[in-house]
């Protein structure tokens, strides 16, 4: 569990660390502020996922078909909330641009991170709600390790070429 948690931290926080090492604070600041906003939005999924997990675990204990049926049903609910959160996050760009003076280049971060919200929800459904609830947590942990490795390689190439956009691209590639 420790190594999977460490891998998750690398993926979710690596963009800011990598940018901070190689780019001026103006680049890091814009990226990091949008990243913090998206993390606040995605934090709503932690208690939702924890509430849904026992339902799916119980269903998987009754059999794989029951578990998958439950995961699909709860996954649809979770997915609808994810899409709504992504749309709300994207719509919030105007607020942050007009009232807080976010620079125009932050718009691409809002777009990319809105997509990341949806990808993260799908990963939660597939990973926590199906693999872990179905008794395959070791596979889910290996997925985190692979994601960290993919993120590091992607970041090496993409952050240097695209700065903050490269950090989000790396995050998205690692999540997929």
């Amino acid at each position: 569990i420790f190594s999977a948690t460490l891998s998750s931290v690398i993926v979710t926080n690596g963009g800011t660390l990598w940018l901070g090492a190689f780019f001026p604070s103006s680049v890091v600041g814009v990226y990091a502020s949008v990243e913090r906003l998206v993390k606040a939005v995605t934090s709503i999924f932690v208690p939702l996922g924890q509430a849904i997990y026992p339902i799916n675990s119980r269903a998987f204990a009754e059999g794989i078909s029951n578990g998958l049926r439950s995961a699909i049903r709860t996954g649809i609910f979770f997915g609808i909330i994810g899409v709504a959160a992504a749309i709300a996050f994207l719509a919030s760009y105007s607020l942050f641009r007009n009232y807080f003076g976010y620079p125009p280049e932050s718009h691409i971060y809002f777009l990319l991170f809105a997509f990341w919200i949806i990808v993260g929800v799908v990963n939660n459904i597939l990973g926590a709600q199906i693999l872990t609830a179905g008794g395959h947590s070791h596979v889910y942990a290996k997925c985190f390790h692979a994601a960290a490795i993919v993120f590091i390689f992607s970041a090496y190439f993409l952050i240097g070429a695209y700065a903050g956009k490269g950090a989000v691209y790396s995050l998205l590639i690692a999540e997929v």
Side-chain angles (χ1 to χ4, degrees):
I1 290 179
F2 173 75
S3 62
T5 303
L6 178 61
S7 296
S8 175
V9 168
I10 289 170
V11 172
T12 58
N13 297 310
T16 303
L17 293 171
W18 204 297
L19 285 171
F22 299 105
F23 289 90
S25 60
S26 58
V27 172
V28 179
V30 172
Y31 172 86
S33 66
V34 179
E35 181 193 49
R36 295 296 176 245
L37 292 171
V38 79
K39 284 182 179 180
V41 170
T42 58
S43 70
I44 66 169
F45 295 103
V46 174
L48 289 174
Q50 291 171 343
I52 292 171
Y53 179 80
I55 296 166
N56 292 327
S57 291
R58 189 174 330 111
F60 272 108
E62 296 169 1
I64 188 107
S65 61
N66 284 346
L68 288 174
R69 195 170 23 258
S70 176
I72 290 168
R73 189 173 52 249
T74 58
I76 289 170
F77 167 75
F78 214 56
I80 290 168
I81 293 172
V83 169
I87 291 168
F89 177 74
L90 191 55
S92 75
Y93 169 73
S94 297
L95 172 79
F96 286 96
R97 173 86 171 109
N98 295 331
Y99 292 104
F100 299 108
Y102 271 51
E105 63 267 20
S106 65
H107 187 254
I108 189 68
Y109 298 143
F110 277 84
L111 285 169
L112 293 171
F113 275 125
F115 183 64
W116 179 71
I117 290 170
I118 295 168
V119 172
V121 168
V122 171
N123 276 347
N124 181 280
I125 294 164
L126 295 174
Q129 305 304 327
I130 293 178
L131 287 176
T132 303
H136 302 286
S137 58
H138 62 285
V139 175
Y140 193 39
K142 287 181 181 180
C143 290
F144 273 111
H145 299 142
I149 292 167
V150 168
F151 175 81
I152 290 167
F153 282 110
S154 298
Y156 179 78
F157 294 105
L158 296 175
I159 292 176
Y162 301 105
K165 288 185 287 190
V168 188
Y169 295 149
S170 298
L171 180 61
L172 286 168
I173 291 168
E175 287 277 352
V176 175

